[in-house]
């Protein structure tokens, strides 16, 4: 008999049909006459209830059906008398495929997330993490679907790179040399001649610059791949390895870029609302009771657009009116999350797109405004988490870009290819970056970024 | 006016409409009275022809419209008298957005692929590489769509890993230490205490083992991410950084696994036939005249399934009958590409799935058959390229798996989590791996793997 996946089984109404289900035991309670087994196979947060007459099976069998055990059940699909489920399976044949001992780390309910992180390979089998990772899958699908339907090409930028232009943070070095006997030259510097790539290489911090190469050839591209930061930050917001989405579009100006960002992020959140109802309902109940409200807040409002300068004025007015921020606020400073959230949650009560930031706090490649002071940056600010998207129109003028590079003393010797885009048929273009795990935090209501990626990499942690 | 993307423009028939197109000049030829400009914006392999009356524009303008220059054209959509195109744009306003000098590396037609690899950032703007990377995008979409529609969850396995269990090849080390002054202990070994992760870490060679963690929790998962091999192989088939797809399904046996592989790969090839017609037609004409025939060959045939042992017998018979292979063939050897291609192209004239290989030439985690000699491996063999998919049913018995691990002396100290899947509710499961670039080679007819990834990483090469 062919196995029926539980998510499909729970939708069936052909009572009396012979069915085969397989999965892991969530709970098992029995009386003298009847046993109830809640079975889950990962396809949905909902379990199917297996009902087994005690008389119909050897008593020893039930001893093996413990939480975490893997079983196969043949039986009859029947209408369920219980609340919250429409069908159950009346067992005719039960096979234990895999026993599960008492030392199963997910046996007890109500363990802390910190405890579960130590067993990241087993937390996947819990309600919460099942929900989180099904939603994570759905967000990835939404992203690919959105860009494909809008004429973007998925573009794989390299992970191992010989250039660190953006200076976006510390990088992981990549080498095949014997670390215990690194070859050094006469000055005591590393000699890379025999290393795999023949020069120093690191893991990328962003695919954007290569993404610009793609956009200025294929028109509209997006990246969706891992990026790396070797920052020693032990916070609920930082990962050493995370996934990033970076669309880049030839001929888009900053307004097109804002339109794209707003439309795109709303599409993703709406996808979650449409396709992850059971998982979201669970998280809204167990993790964050304002989750659904916050998701609706985003899709139902036009995003407010204003300049950084106007934003600073609002924040300064708030301080004058008595609002206390932890960090001081004045023109020129980078906004802290508390400032971003104030604008979104208290002042506008809408998502906000802030534009035209001081050039000093933004990257070298952003297009300079005519004022000579600000650049065409745009950050999308969300409730609860603050900045979720950061982007800009890019400086397409070779001369202006070089002037900025020289001002900042950015080493460009390995970056000739990037400058070539401004030398050969340059064009206006724009793009942005979205940290995938930031999106998953927002859509799941989880609080710690280590709980929205299957196997987090953080300082001193590279297990699994 | 809003820009019309060229792929959309070429489908329009509302002649007389005012349109705005932007893109890069492919060719420009002019006479005293009229200029013809072939414009491409990356959205399609097809150019739109811009027709400009010489009188209507300053003569200097036309001097700037060189191959590679970026221009914006406003004009009227008109029916084209020329063959092979249905519409053209009669220019009313032309703006040069970006000049392109004589040193543009893609200026000349007919450059070798080797030459173009040196300018991987600019080859993206050529017909061939535009086609290749639009098809690459489409294959990624097909993969995500297939798995999503079949109830699989996209599962992100880690890139940086502390374990090398599979021994699948040399690995890249990842470190944040100062390479010129690596801290050593008294025995002269590297002291990793101050390294980012506090222990030796490398870049993953496969996400499969973590994928098994996902499958035994979520039921059916697939990975699609970068993997790394630090092998010093300078061949048209090897990359140091490549993308891999690895589905893994709980409760699937080897037959389910073969059914999945065949259905999946046919879906991908059919997607290309359905969605990449213009690009495939170009490649079939310019790169490989049997490309389309080969793609149809795959989707139109049932794959032949036989054991390795039967395959060896056929190959030995072929040798007896006078067929010459470069490499010797006998039971126990790993098949070379020539052997695989003989089975597919000459003997069966169908794609082939070979199963039940000798355990010595396959990985430790494959399920042992009752004969004690062979394992439930399955390789899918294709015309032209040989093995395109490799997979197996996994050994789900803790005892049998440990016996094999001990036999092979595989260091498992960092692999406790993998063994846990066999300790807590173990289940039969199966999966396979597909090298994404292998698929792209097959679907594009390109010969060198460096030409189907935007920025290839190979020994001594990490440019862009």
């Amino acid at each position: 008999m062919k196995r029926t996946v539980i998510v499909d089984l729970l939708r069936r109404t052909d009572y009396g049909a012979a069915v085969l289900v397989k999965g892991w035991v969530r709970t098992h309670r029995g009386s003298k006459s009847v046993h109830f087994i809640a079975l889950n196979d990962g396809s949905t947060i909902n379990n199917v209830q297996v009902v087994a007459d005690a008389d119909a099976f050897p008593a020893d069998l039930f001893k093996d059906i413990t939480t975490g055990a893997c079983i196969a059940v043949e039986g009859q699909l029947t209408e369920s008398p219980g609340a919250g489920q429409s069908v159950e399976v009346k067992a005719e044949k039960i096979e234990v495929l895999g026993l599960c001992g008492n030392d199963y780390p997910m046996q007890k309910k109500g363990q802390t997330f910190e405890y579960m992180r130590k067993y990241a390979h087993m937390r996947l089998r819990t309600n919460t993490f099942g929900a989180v990772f099904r939603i994570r899958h759905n967000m990835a699908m939404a992203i690919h679907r959105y860009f494909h339907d809008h004429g973007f090409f998925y573009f794989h930028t390299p992970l191992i790179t010989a250039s660190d232009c953006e200076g976006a943070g510390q990088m992981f070095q990549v080498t095949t040399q014997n670390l215990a006997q690194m070859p050094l030259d006469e000055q005591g510097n590393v000699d890379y001649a025999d290393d795999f790539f023949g020069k120093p290489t690191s893991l990328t911090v962003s695919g954007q610059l290569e993404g610009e190469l793609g956009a200025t050839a294929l028109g509209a591209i997006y990246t969706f791949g891992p990026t790396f930061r070797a920052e020693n930050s032990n916070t609920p917001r930082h990962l050493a390895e995370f996934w990033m989405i970076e669309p880049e579009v030839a001929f888009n100006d900053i307004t097109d870029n804002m339109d794209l960002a707003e439309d795109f992020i709303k599409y993703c959140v709406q996808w979650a609302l449409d396709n992850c109802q059971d998982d979201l309902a669970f998280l809204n109940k167990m993790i964050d009771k304002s989750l659904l409200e916050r998701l609706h807040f985003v899709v139902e409002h036009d995003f407010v657009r204003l300049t950084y300068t106007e934003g600073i004025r609002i924040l300064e007015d708030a301080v004058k009116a008595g609002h206390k921020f932890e960090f001081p606020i004045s023109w020129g400073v980078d906004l802290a999350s508390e400032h971003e959230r104030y604008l979104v949650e208290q002042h506008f009560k809408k998502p906000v797109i802030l534009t035209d930031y001081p050039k000093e706090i933004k990257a070298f490649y952003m297009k300079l405004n005519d004022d000579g002071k600000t650049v065409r940056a745009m950050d999308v600010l969300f409730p609860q988490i603050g900045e979720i998207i950061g982007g800009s129109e890019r400086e397409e003028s070779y001369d202006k870009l070089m002037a900025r590079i020289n001002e900042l003393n950015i080493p460009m010797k390995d970056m000739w290819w990037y400058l070539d885009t401004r030398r050969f048929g340059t064009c206006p273009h724009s793009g942005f970056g979205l940290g995938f795990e930031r999106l998953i935090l927002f859509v799941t209501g989880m609080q710690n970024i280590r709980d929205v990626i299957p196997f987090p990499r953080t300082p001193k942690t590279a297990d699994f």
Side-chain angles (χ1 to χ4, degrees), chain A residues 273-297:
Chain A
L273 289 168
D274 292 342
N275 295 280
C276 308
Q277 290 170 341
D278 292 347
D279 288 324
L280 285 178
F282 174 86
L283 294 171
N284 194 68
K285 188 177 161 198
M286 303 299 287
I287 302 292
D288 179 345
K289 294 205 166 17
S290 60
L291 172 62
L292 284 170
E293 186 190 318
R294 220 160 45 242
L295 300 184
H296 284 288
F297 172 87

